[in-house]
Amino acid sequence: MVAVQLLFAPAAIASEVLRFGVVNQRSPQLTAEYWNPILDYVSRRSGARLELRLGRAAPETTEMAERGVLDFYLTNHLFTAERARLGWRVFGRIAGEPIRGEIVVADDSPIRQISDLQGRDVVFPSPEAFVGYWVPTDALLAAGVQVKPRFAGNQEGAMAQLQAGRADAAAVNAKVMAEYARRESMRYRAIWRSGPFYDLALMAHPRVPAEIVEAVRSAFTGMAGDPEGLRILEASAALIRQKPPLGFVAADDGDYDDYRRFHRVAQARVDRAPKATVP
């Protein structure tokens, strides 16, 4: 497990360190480079002592949230009926356009539609990836297409495998895919795209006091409007070639009802899908 220590202001609302998880989309190193300055800013502005915590892959980080190891989690993995009982609450989200799932192929691939994937190798980020596994797997099953699935560990791991020619297609988050392609000069085509869903949610464990959650929410949502905060956001965005708008906006649990509806309808079907393997 990667644990990233941050420097904190001496006057803090919380006397203990609050563990902040981020769903694994990129390597632990790049995730830490992106998030360290943001969490340092939020720690100083809110008075809450935030420390980045990551598992080796998305399932491990989400399992940490399920066990109560994390106090905050930036994720879209906690909206199943079973996990809703844990009591995590939404207080914000990433700003900008909604996210969509995509199934993508190399630009020169002969594959043109998802029916062409019958019997082919498709790489997924992880079994926890909502728009990178759950939603595209449901679409494949609805189309009657059986693929040979495997997991890469995170979003960019799946993209790298496609880029290296180790899979015929990859199921990905369209926004993360576009950022990766800009950095890596990768040419690709989407052969399927899902409907929109709100981007990753900022969530708090129910044990975190409301006043601390509000202080953290205020620091996150005010970041883009503060010159120092905006500079930090821009520097982090440059690392992954992220486009504006940058920052975070307030949100609540109702904003993620479409995730819950999807899980109610599709979870049993996706659970019966062929199991992926780790390469």
Side-chain angles (χ1 to χ4, degrees):
M1 180 170 57
V2 174
V4 183
Q5 301 290 334
L6 304 176
L7 299 176
F8 305 107
I13 294 175
S15 58
E16 73 278 6
V17 167
L18 298 174
R19 293 154 295 194
F20 189 99
V22 175
V23 66
N24 304 61
Q25 292 185 320
R26 303 173 178 87
S27 71
Q29 293 76 17
L30 186 55
T31 301
E33 287 180 47
Y34 183 98
W35 278 97
N36 274 351
I38 293 173
L39 294 185
D40 176 67
Y41 173 92
V42 172
S43 295
R44 289 185 285 106
R45 291 299 172 126
S46 68
R49 302 171 59 202
L50 303 182
E51 177 185 89
L52 181 63
R53 291 290 183 91
L54 297 172
R56 290 167 294 185
E60 185 174 318
T61 308
T62 296
E63 191 266 340
M64 290 163 61
E66 290 180 308
R67 289 191 291 113
V69 171
L70 303 178
D71 299 290
F72 294 97
Y73 193 17
L74 181 80
T75 188
N76 56 6
H77 293 179
L78 299 181
F79 299 117
T80 64
E82 181 178 350
R83 289 169 178 166
R85 300 187 188 103
L86 299 173
W88 284 80
R89 57 195 188 274
V90 175
F91 64 91
R93 62 176 172 84
I94 293 177
E97 294 297 313
I99 59 173
R100 297 172 186 266
E102 283 185 341
I103 299 176
V104 301
V105 297
D107 191 51
D108 59 357
S109 170
I111 296 169
R112 298 291 168 182
Q113 54 195 6
I114 62 172
S115 60
D116 296 335
L117 292 174
Q118 185 70 37
R120 290 182 177 267
D121 293 322
V122 177
V123 61
F124 299 86
S126 82
E128 295 291 350
F130 183 75
V131 297
Y133 177 71
W134 284 91
V135 177
T137 295
D138 185 60
L140 288 165
L141 293 172
V145 176
Q146 295 289 328
V147 301
K148 297 175 183 176
R150 63 174 182 262
F151 297 138
N154 59 57
Q155 291 279 344
E156 291 197 353
M159 297 163 197
Q161 287 197 27
L162 178 65
Q163 187 178 25
R166 293 198 292 269
D168 297 303
V172 297
N173 177 320
K175 188 181 290 188
V176 180
M177 181 73 240
E179 293 164 355
Y180 179 87
R182 284 193 290 270
R183 292 201 327 267
E184 299 293 327
S185 299
M186 178 182 174
R187 296 176 63 84
Y188 70 98
R189 284 185 291 106
I191 62 169
W192 173 87
R193 202 176 203 213
S194 78
F197 296 89
Y198 273 130
D199 209 336
L200 302 179
L202 287 161
M203 303 187 74
H205 192 279
R207 69 169 167 265
V208 182
E211 63 271 21
I212 295 180
V213 175
E214 175 56 27
V216 170
R217 183 203 64 79
S218 180
F220 269 113
T221 59
M223 195 169 182
D226 173 57
E228 181 194 2
L230 182 58
R231 285 194 299 272
I232 291 168
L233 290 170
E234 289 173 338
S236 288
L239 292 172
I240 61 170
R241 300 294 295 274
Q242 180 182 8
K243 289 186 174 181
L246 305 177
F248 308 87
V249 297
D252 59 35
D253 285 301
D255 292 332
Y256 290 84
D257 283 344
D258 51 352
Y259 283 80
R260 298 182 183 95
R261 284 192 294 269
F262 174 88
H263 282 296
R264 282 198 299 270
V265 172
Q267 183 154 6
R269 189 162 58 238
V270 175
D271 281 342
R272 293 194 297 270
K275 299 307 179 186
T277 59
V278 178

